[in-house]
Amino acid sequence: MKTENLTFKVPQQTNLPPHIRSVVEKAQDAKSQHLEVVVNDSHTYLIIALGERPHGGYSVEVDKIEQKQDGLHVYVNEKPPEKGAMAIQVISHPYTVVFVEGIYLKTAIHLHMNSAD
C-alpha cells in the first residue's frame, strides 16, 4: 500500500458531541504530550494535547495526516508564542481536535511531533 494523504477537519469546539467534549476536557489537563482517539459514527476524532506550558501563547497545529501500511501518521507542529509577543502569565495546556473519515484504533496511530524546543 502506498502513502495516501487524508483530508482532516478541525471542528468548532462548540459543535463537538458531548462525549468527545468530555475527553477533550480530560486531555487538556495532561502534564505531558497526549493523544486521545475517539470513534464517533464513521469518524475518528484525534485530540492532541501538548501538555503543560509555562505561559499562554502556545498552540498545536496538525500539518498533515497520512495513511500508510502500518496505520495513520499524524504530523503535528507546536507553535510557540512569537518573540516579543505579550502572553498571559499562567500555565497553559494547548491542544487541538481534528477528525478524519473512517475508523482507526489508537494502536494504529503514529504521532510525529515537531516541538518548539
Side-chain angles (χ1 to χ4, degrees):
M1 176 185 205
K2 66 179 189 171
T3 299
E4 176 187 350
N5 284 327
L6 294 183
T7 301
F8 63 91
K9 295 181 181 177
V10 179
Q12 291 185 357
Q13 298 299 312
T14 56
N15 291 340
L16 290 173
H19 67 285
I20 294 174
R21 220 175 305 136
S22 69
V23 173
V24 168
E25 289 170 7
K26 290 177 187 170
Q28 279 182 278
D29 292 335
K31 297 281 185 195
S32 60
Q33 180 181 310
H34 191 72
L35 169 68
E36 285 294 333
V37 177
V38 180
V39 174
N40 187 53
D41 296 325
S42 62
H43 295 94
T44 300
Y45 285 78
L46 307 173
I47 298 107
I48 304 159
L50 292 179
E52 193 172 277
R53 294 297 181 261
H55 51 76
Y58 287 88
S59 64
V60 57
E61 181 179 286
V62 175
D63 184 38
K64 67 181 173 179
I65 299 177
E66 294 178 333
Q67 170 71 56
K68 296 183 179 183
Q69 189 168 352
D70 63 342
L72 282 187
H73 288 257
V74 182
Y75 297 88
V76 178
N77 291 308
E78 176 182 351
K79 302 281 188 182
E82 291 186 27
K83 292 192 186 286
M86 296 289 287
I88 190 165
Q89 296 299 306
V90 297
I91 293 174
S92 65
H93 297 85
Y95 72 95
T96 192
V97 179
V98 299
F99 68 91
V100 294
E101 287 199 33
I103 297 172
Y104 299 93
L105 300 176
K106 186 174 182 175
T107 56
I109 297 174
H110 309 277
L111 189 62
H112 304 277
M113 180 68 72
N114 182 12
S115 181
D117 297 335

